[in-house]
Amino acid sequence: MFKGTRFLSLYALSVVATAYASIGPVGTLPIANAQIAPDGFSRPVVLAGSAFPGPAILGKKGDRFQLNVVNKLTDGSMAKSTSIHWHGIFQRGTNYVDGAASVTQCPIATQESFLYDFNVPDQAGTYWYHSHLSTQYCDGLRGAFVIYDPQDPHRKLYDIDNESTIITLADWYHAPAHTLLGPGQLPPESVATLINGKGRYAGGPSVPFSVVNVVWGKRYRFRLIAMSCDPAFTFSIDGHSLTIIEADGENTVPLKVDSLDIYAGQRYSFILNANQPIGNYWIRANPNRGNQGFAGGINSAILRYFLALPIQPRTTSKLVNPLKEVNLHPLSSPAAPGVPMVGAADVNLNIVTSVDFTTFKYQMNGVPFTPPSVPVLLQILSGAQSAQDLLPKGSVYELPPNKVIEISLPGTGVELGGP
């Protein structure tokens, strides 16, 4: 009995050791060029921490994060400046480290560094980070950002929650992103779906699948992150239900489903009970654009039980209980301010998104975003201009302090990759 327990413990440690390297809440994040072939096709990329996805950044609720981003980019075929956005972090009082190039900061020049120093006093959950310079993150600069809650209200529902239970979904392309978005072109369709940094493309080589290891009888909190530039994914694991307990950093009332649609930038935590017969099961992430289906192992990874043979699954998928977002409810009231009526806020801002099919640029209220020569935040802090004169014209909305603001984004446009 003792030997078996010890062997099981060593197995669990080996699983953790093969997951992402991690940093945080204090650390250095080098950004550099490399050549990688996650789907068997070699191409130049931009990486954080020499890996795709980049190293997971981990901390706990209440931590102060001090992340020194060092720009070592040298490849002139892609942008050599960069910036990092911490997706989902509120940045109250520290908007200058939000990472949006030309909005809150100047891009970090090559061979320079920038210290992102911010506190996370009241957030916990699943987040991610990515380049916020044009389309640079589509070339590889993206990674997981997890903030653990020592007082997690769902803690009794699962046994394991660590780096090995992070699952990332990413669209992948075989050329630098800026070459795929020329004038008069729609966003390209991705060539492959990468699950935890590995995947196959139609007609490509049979590269190894990502493998997510589990032990029978354990309950796992998986943190699913859509690091997508464009497509959404329908995610499922053959033979297993997914009990959702968190969406985009907000704890939810547990909801059992067998599949979920996850869009670019979204995150879900779900509990998986490893209670099925020991074996191998397909993990599926079917995109809504690009190469769909699972022929030849595309859009797939493997869930493997301890003691299962290292072979491909033979499981099939039968989905009957997909996530319907109207059934997902916060665990505690988010206490939205103001009167609970549409249009009753102090300021009601309606933003209509569209595409100009002559220039193929996204627009908000008829205006495309044009990066200004001086970041918007620096224009504000300079005091030299009024809000009405800030650049880019039509992209800056002045809001009064200490008021309730209602922002509506009607989902009526045909634009791909829009909100």
Side-chain angles (χ1 to χ4, degrees), residues 62 285 366 377 412-413:
L377 182 59
T412 56

Side-chain angles (χ1 to χ4, degrees), residues 315-339:
T315 57
T316 57
S317 176
K318 183 179 180 181
L319 304 177
V320 297
N321 185 30
L323 168 65
K324 298 178 180 178
E325 291 189 6
V326 294
N327 295 330
L328 202 59
H329 302 288
L331 188 64
S332 58
S333 172
V339 180

Side-chain angles (χ1 to χ4, degrees), residues 22-29 55-69 86 89 91 114-121 123 129 144-148 163:
S22 65
I23 63 173
V26 176
T28 297
L29 190 66
I57 296 174
L58 309 178
K60 64 181 186 298
K61 186 176 182 179
D63 274 348
R64 177 183 179 183
F65 288 85
Q66 294 176 296
L67 301 165
N68 189 37
V69 174
W86 319 98
I89 303 302
Q91 299 291 4
F114 186 85
L115 178 64
Y116 290 89
D117 187 346
F118 56 91
N119 292 298
V120 185
Q123 287 185 268
Y129 66 92
F145 191 137
V146 177
I147 303 174
Y148 297 100
E163 289 173 68

Side-chain angles (χ1 to χ4, degrees), residues 88 90 122-127 221 246-251 267-268:
F90 294 151
D122 52 7
Q123 287 185 268
T126 309
Y127 307 91
R221 176 178 181 159
E246 177 223 347
D248 296 341
E250 184 73 33
N251 290 317
R267 298 90 60 204
Y268 287 104

Side-chain angles (χ1 to χ4, degrees), residues 237-310:
I237 300 177
D238 288 2
H240 294 76
S241 60
L242 321 173
T243 301
I244 299 172
I245 59 170
E246 177 223 347
D248 296 341
E250 184 73 33
N251 290 317
T252 67
V253 176
L255 178 66
K256 184 175 289 188
V257 301
D258 62 13
S259 66
L260 59 87
D261 289 340
I262 184 167
Y263 290 79
Q266 286 189 309
R267 298 90 60 204
Y268 287 104
S269 281
F270 64 85
I271 295 169
L272 180 142
N273 192 346
N275 59 1
Q276 298 302 300
I278 290 175
N280 297 281
Y281 298 82
W282 284 121
I283 299 172
R284 304 175 188 267
N286 202 22
N288 67 341
R289 296 185 70 225
N291 293 315
Q292 298 177 323
F294 309 100
I298 66 173
N299 306 317
S300 302
I302 297 173
L303 181 78
R304 176 166 294 155
Y305 278 71
F306 176 56
L307 297 181
L309 294 174

Side-chain angles (χ1 to χ4, degrees), residues 4-41:
T5 303
R6 182 173 179 273
F7 184 56
L8 205 61
S9 298
L10 289 174
Y11 172 79
L13 286 173
S14 71
V15 169
V16 173
T18 56
Y20 311 97
S22 65
I23 63 173
V26 176
T28 297
L29 190 66
I31 310 301
N33 296 112
Q35 191 87 14
I36 64 172
D39 62 353
F41 181 92

